[in-house]
Amino acid sequence: MSLESTMKEALAARPEVAALACMDGEAGLVLGMCIQGDTNADEVELAALSAPELAKTPRDDGEPDDPAPEALVISDTWVHAFARVPERPELIIMGLARSNENIATLRVWLGEVAGQVGRAR
């Protein structure tokens, strides 16, 4: 299954999630994006492009930050959840949902989607 079809299938199963995107953190490229409803594509792309900086664990020793397996950014409007693809940690899946959605469920589901993307590539 391709990246696009994997993301479309996953997103179709979760109508409360507004968008999914896949970012290659090493190349600096958004590899795919799927959007539901009237969500602004530019906002989704901007959120996906921020994934490499947000999905890191800072270090105190002056060395480069370590990749974090997941990250969350929560605002008044949105929850941006990020999960690295286990087999390809340079790939980061971003899920976008309204801030009133169940964050724990979103995190678990996004981790599952990242696993599916890893198996699909």
Side-chain angles (χ1 to χ4, degrees):
M1 192 180 297
S2 72
L3 172 64
E4 183 178 351
S5 60
T6 300
M7 290 195 324
K8 281 183 180 179
E9 186 176 300
L11 193 57
R14 298 294 300 263
E16 73 278 14
V17 177
L20 275 175
C22 181
M23 175 74 186
D24 183 326
E26 288 180 3
L29 298 170
V30 176
L31 302 178
M33 211 167 56
C34 297
I35 299 170
Q36 299 191 106
D38 62 353
T39 305
N40 183 303
D42 291 337
E43 288 181 13
V44 174
E45 183 176 20
L46 182 61
L49 288 168
S50 67
E53 291 304 312
L54 294 172
K56 290 183 177 180
T57 302
R59 294 178 55 145
D60 292 332
D61 59 5
E63 293 295 318
D65 294 340
D66 292 323
E70 63 179 32
L72 283 173
V73 176
I74 303 168
S75 71
D76 288 340
T77 308
W78 295 109
V79 174
H80 300 86
F82 302 92
R84 289 191 184 269
V85 174
E87 298 84 358
R88 305 262 317 269
E90 75 277 9
L91 300 181
I92 306 164
I93 304 299
M94 190 247 353
L96 181 67
R98 294 282 176 194
S99 60
N100 61 346
E101 296 302 328
N102 184 315
I103 295 170
T105 302
L106 177 64
R107 288 177 63 194
V108 169
W109 173 77
L110 195 63
E112 292 169 359
V113 172
Q116 292 168 0
V117 167
R119 290 186 294 278
R121 295 198 47 88

